[in-house]
Amino acid sequence: EDKVVQSPLSLVVHEGDTVTLNCSYEVTNFRSLLWYKQEKKAPTFLFMLTSSGIEKKSGRLSSILDKKELFSILNITATQTGDSAVYLCAVEGGAGSYQLTFGKGTKLSVIP
Amino acid sequence: NAGVMQNPRHLVRRRGQEARLRCSPMKGHSHVYWYRQLPEEGLKFMVYLQKENIIDESGMPKERFSAEFPKEGPSILRIQQVVRGDSAAYFCASSPNGLNTEAFFGQGTRLTVV
């Protein structure tokens, strides 16, 4: 069965800290790995990674994929209270290649 | 261009009743996905539809659950004879072309079965 495991499940940091969120996966027919931010309710897309070793960057967020070791990390530097959210990792693949298999998420709380 | 609209946002049903969850995709989007998020769990794929067609329903329970996306109107996820275990948040996402990177999620419907 396809599996995506995120760690830690929750994290509390102070504003200005740097955090690293982890995502490991076991998925057949891997196509890509996606990161989402879930505030309140609707997940919003952050990054898609398909190739190993190529960092994707957007402002203070960056992410990288290791297809050999089957994991990805999401880094957030200089955290702000607005970064508080659940960060979801999902892998595209499985029986239907468009299907997303999600991890349980990492709940990040940034305190002033 | 409004986002993906799901309604109702909250739905309470007694065991044995039917639940109908609606998803209006973004304008121009003809692909819809439904996901279920059980408490303390990740989102789980249920079904993928294009207008008037079910493309993949491999994630849907075999009984009591059905989905449709008619030519006109929203996509409907229907749960018959609900049980307590159906209590969850149900999300839909829509895409113009089936690509997950271009999919937008709705706010979800929280179903509570009492």
Coordinates of all heavy atoms in Angstrom, one line a residue, chain B residues 15 55-56 59 68 77 81 91 110:
Chain B
R15 N -27.7 8.7 12.0 CA -27.3 7.4 11.4 C -28.5 7.0 10.6 O -29.7 7.0 11.0 CB -27.1 6.4 12.5 CG -25.7 6.5 13.0 CD -25.4 5.4 14.1 NE -26.3 5.7 15.3 CZ -26.4 4.9 16.3 NH1 -25.7 3.8 16.4 NH2 -27.1 5.2 17.4
I55 N -13.8 8.8 -13.8 CA -12.5 8.3 -14.4 C -11.9 7.2 -13.5 O -11.4 6.2 -13.9 CB -11.5 9.4 -14.6 CG1 -12.1 10.6 -15.4 CG2 -10.2 8.9 -15.2 CD1 -12.6 10.1 -16.8
D56 N -12.0 7.5 -12.2 CA -11.4 6.5 -11.2 C -12.1 6.6 -9.9 O -12.1 7.7 -9.3 CB -9.9 6.9 -11.0 CG -9.2 5.9 -10.1 OD1 -9.8 5.1 -9.5 OD2 -7.9 6.1 -9.9
G59 N -10.9 4.7 -4.8 CA -10.7 5.1 -3.4 C -12.1 5.2 -2.7 O -12.1 5.5 -1.5
E68 N -21.1 11.9 -8.7 CA -21.4 12.3 -10.1 C -21.0 13.7 -10.4 O -20.8 14.5 -9.5 CB -23.0 12.2 -10.3 CG -23.8 13.1 -9.5 CD -25.3 13.1 -9.8 OE1 -25.7 12.1 -10.5 OE2 -26.0 13.9 -9.3
L77 N -21.3 14.4 -4.1 CA -20.9 13.1 -3.4 C -22.0 12.7 -2.5 O -22.4 13.5 -1.7 CB -19.6 13.4 -2.6 CG -19.1 12.2 -1.8 CD1 -18.6 11.1 -2.8 CD2 -17.9 12.6 -0.9
Q81 N -27.4 6.1 3.9 CA -27.4 5.3 5.2 C -26.1 5.6 6.0 O -25.4 4.7 6.3 CB -27.6 3.8 4.9 CG -28.9 3.6 4.2 CD -29.0 2.1 3.8 OE1 -28.1 1.4 3.8 NE2 -30.2 1.7 3.4
F91 N -13.2 16.9 1.1 CA -12.7 18.0 0.3 C -12.8 17.7 -1.2 O -12.7 16.5 -1.6 CB -11.2 18.2 0.6 CG -10.9 18.8 1.9 CD1 -10.7 18.0 3.0 CD2 -10.8 20.2 2.0 CE1 -10.4 18.6 4.2 CE2 -10.6 20.8 3.3 CZ -10.3 20.0 4.4
R110 N -17.6 19.5 6.5 CA -17.4 18.7 7.7 C -18.7 17.9 8.0 O -19.7 18.6 8.3 CB -17.0 19.5 8.9 CG -16.8 18.6 10.1 CD -15.9 19.3 11.2 NE -14.5 19.4 10.7 CZ -13.6 18.5 10.7 NH1 -13.9 17.3 11.1 NH2 -12.4 18.7 10.3

